[in-house]
Amino acid sequence: MSFPLFLDLPGLLAGRLLQAPANATSEVRHLLLDSRRVGLPVGAVFFALRGLSHDGHRYLPALYSQGVRLFIIEENTTLLNGLSAYSEAGIIEVASPLAALQTLAAVHREEFNGPVFGITGSNGKTTVKEWLAQLLSPDEDICRSPRSYNSQVGVPLSVWELNPERHTLGIFEAGISEVGEMERLAAIIQPTEGIFTTIGTAHDAGFTSAEQKLREKLRLFEGAHFQRLFYCADQPLVRTAVVSLGLPTFCWTRQPTQSADLRFTLVAASGDSTSLQAEYVATGLTATFSLPFADEPSIENGLHCLAVLLHRQVEPAEIQRRLARLHPVAMRLEMKLGRHDSYLLDDTYNNDLAGLALALNALARQSRPGRRTLILSDVLESGLTGEALYARVVGLLPAAGVSRVVGIGEEISRELCAKSANNEELSIEVESSEVNSACSIQVFPTTEAFLAQLNPADFVHETILIKGARRFGFERIVAALQAQQHGTVLEVNLDALSHNLQYYRRQLRPGTKLMVMVKAFAYGAGSYEVASLLEFQRADYLAVAYADEGIALREAGISLPIMVMNAAPDAFETLRRYRLEPEIYSFEMLDEYLATFDIPSELPAPKIHLKLDTGMRRLGFDEAELPTLAARLRQHTAHLPVASMMTHLAAADEPGHDDFTREQLAAFRRMTTVLEAALGHSVLKHVLNSAGILRFPEAHFDMVRLGIGLYGVDASNTSDPTALRPVSQLRTTISQIKTLPAGATVGYGRRGTAAATERRIATLAIGYADGYDRRFGNGAGTVLIHGQPAPLLGSVCMDMCMVDVTAIPQARAGDVALVFGDGLPLPELAGRIGTIAYELLTNVSERVKRVFVSE
Ligand SMILES: *Cc1c(COP(=O)(O)O)cnc(C)c1O
């Protein structure tokens, strides 16, 4: 991807160059608005925005000291400490840094030629965006707004992430609060397609009427290249406005008499699913779909997405398959062990009605016994009046078995008190023990008020859904209720995983199959969750090292074909039962396998994969054994279900051995030609691992075997360093802080010393039993605390280690320390102790809790 030069910005943004950067060829790579999120300073341009209570110009000295060198500031600003304090910086003055930010994003948008969806409406924007991205992710590489970045500032940041060389589709949401704002967002997003969700009737301060608000929102769709608006024709206000503007549309209805492109008719509804028949008027297609939820906002949001998929002519069976998986990754919901044997569902990022319904669904699916509690903030963005809104909220509770509600916020306090005073549906008996019949309610005006009286012992043996809009800061409640005994977590980002999968897919010729290696607990990331995502993303094959790993996947419901690389011969009967396909790498194994045909069975014999040794010298038939192997195949060709032939490269990632690699490829071609002739038919052939996929495109054959690349590590060092996203973050917490006098020693064998001056050290809750390598001890390793490096002091112990935090005075017990992930890339850490990223990933012990997130 090409980036503009900083020196080109004055022309693009109608600005004035106050000072050229010391590096005249500085490129604009990242847009930075927040001094706490610098990340990579190289190529970061800081836009000094001014808000009501905030002035970005105040942060220039801090940013400069963190290495940021490119700044856009407002005209006539007096710089703190004068220009000379920023001697290496490039500084441009503009009339409005916000307008400049928006213009730059709009210019960037023009480089992208693919389709771009713009989503607006009063409710459901974020949900529709997330769901659409999920549903289309098997077909497209999507750039979408992170979370609900839909404002004057969020939209330019989102659109800046579009990479014309990588993405095939953009999905951005736009939210406005006053007249004039949408025009600016439209100029940045420049949508080619759009979705209008719904219009709320609530009175909005920024508009004189609902009509005016609607008219403003529809401005998003007035650009010259706009092709199609997806909307629901059942809201008369919306239909009239859309029709009178003459926008090109694809509309749907749920009413029998309304004319529309697509008609949905309810077939059946149950507690947690809804099935509807869809009739596509133009093509005559009818099909029935089942949505995995029953609440009205979710159905509405789901139908918007369904309309897009039907219009794209995705096969109905395929649509259904994707719909069925919709909710598990629809929200950022984390499951955590709580104190006092409780279990927390942590969803503390946004809180609209649809999101609440989904989270309650997730709560309903928990099978743990005991009481269910909901800690809920004010529900935002609903478009309903308080009374109607909380009536809906209360209506959702019984199905999830909620028997205690803690409401936090002014509005929820008022409404829930009113309801319990009227004795509607609820009673206010605190500590009621009758599940489902009565629900106990407590309310607090603010999160602080709740925390002030919180006693974690009030929450015992229960499942607690903690659901709050971001501004309520519910992460503090989670921290108070979460079990503290072992603060180490491996966070696995499922979005990053999908992203990496798409990246490798794009390297393949159409039709090349993809096998994904999920051996060793999916490189430490968690086999079941990764396999389940791969099934959704339509990988063709999975591979594991041992039969047990395959059995665990089958028992968890994974149905993709699974190859087992090293099955013990006596496991063949088990393989048959679990539909697992062994690699056959020796004559002994082949004989054992053939012997299973003598055992009568209802089930077909498992397919096999022939492993050929072309130079790895690990497992497989040698070229010298080829004549014998060919003869054996000829003998049994009638009933040998050979699914594939494969070999493994010894040095796919090392250019110095490319000649050897080419010899391996030539040997593979020779051997497979002979074997296929012996079998009398051709089979799938595959050779390449992650590094090989990128380095030997001529040798993709019929299938490739993706491994570490999926987990975000480029073993070949050939791809653009931003092409892959890191998948795993290993984090732990500080258990205690100590001050060491000069000369004191730390830990076993007294190998750490506080040297000449007093040091502050932190004891971390991670040790070699968690997979944190002992070789990181004594300064070899570093963790990040508050974003700053803290070196290891002394030896790594079994369950703990110590780091020096003298330079991080704000570090406190309970703070998080990052062990690897963003800012601490695996290959670099591995290099420090003479190993490879593979080992660091697979060493993370199973006792470390995995948390799966999706944004
Ligand atoms: C592990 C493995 C792979 C994947 O290797 P990566 O380097 O992780 O991509 C491919 N093929 C075989 C036979 C393997 O054992």
Side-chain angles (χ1 to χ4, degrees):
M1 176 166 156
S2 66
F3 300 99
L5 290 180
F6 185 74
L7 286 177
D8 291 339
L9 292 193
L12 282 175
L13 309 178
R16 187 168 79 88
L17 186 67
L18 212 56
Q19 174 171 293
N23 174 1
T25 59
S26 295
E27 291 175 335
V28 179
R29 289 168 174 263
H30 319 285
L31 310 185
L32 186 60
L33 304 179
D34 183 340
S35 60
R36 290 160 306 179
R37 295 179 172 247
V38 172
L40 281 180
V42 177
V45 180
F46 181 75
F47 287 76
L49 304 185
R50 243 191 255 279
L52 286 177
S53 59
H54 167 97
D55 182 354
H57 297 90
R58 290 187 15 221
Y59 299 100
L60 299 197
L63 288 157
Y64 190 79
S65 74
Q66 290 182 70
V68 177
R69 289 294 176 267
L70 308 172
F71 299 92
I72 308 281
I73 65 169
E74 201 168 292
E75 283 166 359
N76 307 321
T77 303
T78 338
L79 285 175
L80 237 59
N81 308 328
L83 205 54
S84 62
Y86 308 94
S87 58
E88 291 175 20
I91 305 179
I92 296 170
E93 272 191 346
V94 294
S96 153
L98 175 61
L101 173 76
Q102 297 176 337
T103 308
L104 185 59
V107 169
H108 176 71
R109 162 68 183 88
E110 272 160 22
E111 305 207 342
F112 181 71
N113 294 321
V116 169
F117 273 89
I119 301 179
T120 194
S122 299
N123 327 311
K125 295 185 285 295
T126 302
T127 306
V128 169
K129 177 200 69 193
E130 290 300 316
W131 284 359
L132 190 62
Q134 274 188 66
L135 292 165
L136 293 178
S137 70
D139 310 324
E140 307 276 1
D141 194 347
I142 298 165
C143 176
R144 69 186 198 279
S145 334
R147 315 200 156 167
S148 35
Y149 271 35
N150 60 27
S151 65
Q152 297 292 309
V153 174
V155 167
L157 292 184
S158 305
V159 169
W160 182 256
E161 294 304 317
L162 252 183
N163 181 341
E165 282 156 34
R166 186 193 312 165
H167 294 119
T168 59
L169 178 70
I171 308 181
F172 302 105
E173 53 172 292
I176 57 171
S177 48
E178 57 187 52
V179 174
E181 290 186 331
M182 190 57 94
E183 233 166 307
R184 295 198 288 273
L185 299 186
I188 306 168
I189 299 176
Q190 304 169 33
T192 58
E193 297 183 67
I195 298 177
F196 189 88
T197 58
T198 52
I199 189 85
T201 47
H203 179 66
D204 245 304
F207 304 95
T208 53
S209 65
E211 283 83 0
Q212 188 200 33
K213 179 165 87 174
L214 173 63
R215 180 71 195 77
E216 263 318 289
K217 293 193 179 212
L218 290 172
R219 290 236 143 101
L220 180 58
F221 309 120
E222 292 179 348
H225 302 293
F226 189 73
Q227 294 174 357
R228 193 171 307 104
L229 175 65
F230 293 89
Y231 80 104
C232 171
D234 300 341
Q235 272 195 306
L237 195 63
V238 180
R239 190 179 62 237
T240 313
V242 168
V243 170
S244 76
L245 286 173
L247 293 175
T249 62
F250 184 85
C251 68
W252 57 271
T253 179
R254 287 162 73 186
Q255 293 169 1
T257 53
Q258 174 66 42
S259 71
D261 300 293
L262 203 55
R263 181 180 317 286
F264 293 111
T265 317
L266 184 70
V267 178
S270 71
D272 57 4
S273 75
T274 310
S275 63
L276 296 117
Q277 188 189 57
E279 183 192 347
Y280 193 150
V281 177
T283 65
L285 173 104
T286 58
T288 301
F289 297 101
S290 166
L291 303 175
F293 27 71
D295 64 289
E296 189 52 37
S298 297
I299 294 173
E300 175 105 9
N301 292 335
L303 293 182
H304 284 299
C305 298
L306 189 50
V308 174
L309 268 81
L310 284 166
H311 179 266
R312 290 186 148 223
Q313 312 211 329
V314 180
E315 285 292 321
E318 174 63 18
I319 294 180
Q320 183 57 57
R321 215 179 59 82
R322 295 183 193 177
L323 285 175
R325 300 278 185 127
L326 207 46
H327 47 270
V329 287
M331 54 193 160
R332 190 188 167 95
L333 184 118
E334 299 181 3
M335 324 241 168
K336 300 175 170 167
L337 283 183
R339 292 187 180 189
H340 305 291
D341 194 33
S342 286
Y343 192 67
L344 312 182
L345 304 188
D346 168 7
D347 188 349
T348 55
Y349 129 66
N350 75 6
N351 191 17
D352 59 18
L353 202 51
L356 174 63
L358 282 175
L360 283 167
N361 251 333
L363 180 64
R365 285 196 306 273
Q366 300 301 318
S367 48
R368 289 170 48 95
R371 162 149 90 170
R372 285 159 188 212
T373 295
L374 169 64
I375 302 181
L376 180 69
S377 77
D378 284 351
V379 177
L380 308 178
E381 225 203 25
S382 77
L384 299 172
T385 63
E387 201 186 334
L389 171 62
Y390 289 92
R392 297 269 273 276
V393 169
V394 167
L396 293 170
L397 303 182
V402 172
S403 61
R404 162 153 74 161
V405 178
V406 176
I408 297 177
E410 301 281 347
E411 190 183 45
I412 193 170
S413 297
R414 193 171 56 241
E415 295 298 335
L416 290 186
C417 284
K419 285 212 183 314
S420 28
N422 296 344
N423 232 349
E424 286 175 40
E425 296 116 313
L426 297 158
S427 67
I428 204 160
E429 323 143 32
V430 178
E431 299 307 305
S432 151
S433 59
E434 309 150 60
V435 176
N436 280 340
S437 58
C439 183
S440 84
I441 298 181
Q442 289 173 287
V443 293
F444 299 88
T446 61
T447 307
E448 290 69 30
F450 172 68
L451 287 169
Q453 65 74 56
L454 172 66
N455 175 5
D458 289 342
F459 296 84
V460 180
H461 297 304
E462 48 196 284
T463 307
I464 308 168
L465 171 62
I466 303 173
K467 175 89 181 132
R470 202 163 190 73
R471 66 174 150 89
F472 287 89
F474 273 16
E475 55 281 359
R476 290 171 293 165
I477 300 179
V478 173
L481 292 178
Q482 197 176 357
Q484 310 282 316
Q485 68 270 45
H486 189 244
T488 302
V489 167
L490 184 74
E491 181 181 292
V492 178
N493 185 325
L494 296 175
D495 291 345
L497 210 72
S498 301
H499 170 92
N500 297 341
L501 182 73
Q502 301 292 26
Y503 172 77
Y504 280 95
R505 266 212 172 122
R506 273 197 315 283
Q507 317 302 321
L508 306 177
R509 260 181 296 106
T512 309
K513 292 187 188 306
L514 184 65
M515 173 182 271
V516 182
M517 313 308 282
V518 293
K519 57 191 179 191
F521 206 46
Y523 289 54
S527 323
Y528 164 69
E529 288 79 2
V530 171
S532 160
L533 183 80
L534 292 168
E535 193 157 87
F536 177 69
Q537 293 282 4
R538 295 241 136 157
D540 298 284
Y541 252 100
L542 299 178
V544 293
Y546 296 101
D548 288 349
E549 298 176 289
I551 292 169
L553 289 176
R554 284 281 180 262
E555 291 190 331
I558 300 294
S559 62
L560 279 178
I562 300 177
M563 181 178 88
V564 179
M565 292 196 288
N566 205 350
D570 61 6
F572 281 151
E573 262 317 293
T574 317
L575 297 187
R576 185 199 295 252
R577 199 148 20 95
Y578 286 93
R579 234 170 20 84
L580 301 173
E581 307 175 9
E583 257 182 49
I584 300 286
Y585 51 78
S586 68
F587 289 115
E588 292 77 7
M589 257 188 122
L590 185 59
D591 289 338
E592 295 277 356
Y593 175 78
L594 288 168
T596 59
F597 285 97
D598 300 335
I599 306 168
S601 171
E602 310 261 274
L603 303 167
K607 291 184 182 170
I608 58 172
H609 302 263
L610 294 176
K611 176 75 164 274
L612 309 177
D613 186 353
T614 55
M616 178 76 181
R617 305 293 172 233
R618 193 167 69 176
L619 294 177
F621 294 98
D622 295 337
E623 197 159 9
E625 294 171 318
L626 198 56
T628 323
L629 180 59
R632 297 294 300 279
L633 294 187
R634 227 173 277 121
Q635 202 183 338
H636 296 282
T637 170
H639 58 287
L640 258 192
V642 180
S644 83
M645 296 179 194
M646 61 186 286
T647 193
H648 194 42
L649 299 178
D653 54 345
E654 295 182 39
H657 294 297
D658 282 357
D659 287 343
F660 184 80
T661 299
R662 289 201 188 87
E663 278 170 34
Q664 281 197 275
L665 293 172
F668 182 68
R669 289 198 173 90
R670 286 194 301 275
M671 293 172 78
T672 49
T673 309
V674 171
L675 296 175
E676 286 187 329
L679 275 179
H681 59 86
S682 66
V683 297
L684 290 180
K685 292 179 284 298
H686 47 109
V687 177
L688 299 178
N689 64 359
S690 310
I693 295 171
L694 300 179
R695 298 197 59 244
F696 298 96
E698 70 281 12
H700 287 171
F701 292 96
D702 307 300
M703 182 155 80
V704 295
R705 298 190 303 270
L706 178 62
I708 193 133
L710 181 68
Y711 308 98
V713 176
D714 175 16
S716 73
N717 280 315
T718 49
S719 58
D720 161 3
T722 63
L724 297 179
R725 289 178 53 189
V727 166
S728 302
Q729 302 238 12
L730 181 62
R731 291 189 306 243
T732 187
T733 48
I734 299 180
S735 307
Q736 192 177 27
I737 302 259
K738 285 179 185 291
T739 304
L740 289 199
T745 63
V746 181
Y748 285 122
R750 306 184 60 204
R751 278 178 286 268
T753 17
T757 52
E758 181 182 279
R759 313 302 290 170
R760 248 181 122 228
I761 62 162
T763 303
L764 306 182
I766 188 169
Y768 56 80
D770 302 294
Y772 193 55
D773 202 294
R774 265 193 97 240
R775 290 169 287 180
F776 282 123
N778 301 302
T782 313
V783 302
L784 292 182
I785 296 171
H786 294 287
Q788 296 176 57
L792 267 277
L793 199 61
S795 300
V796 175
C797 315
M798 186 185 290
D799 311 298
M800 285 171 257
C801 64
M802 281 67 86
V803 295
D804 187 331
V805 292
T806 314
I808 315 172
Q810 71 269 44
R812 293 278 176 278
D815 288 356
V816 171
L818 182 72
V819 180
F820 64 65
D822 278 341
L824 283 176
L826 283 161
E828 197 233 296
L829 287 183
R832 293 194 200 177
I833 59 165
T835 183
I836 49 179
Y838 297 75
E839 188 181 341
L840 297 191
L841 278 174
T842 54
N843 271 359
V844 178
S845 119
E846 292 208 30
R847 90 172 179 191
V848 172
K849 202 147 41 81
R850 268 69 177 169
V851 172
F852 297 88
V853 302
S854 167
E855 293 183 339

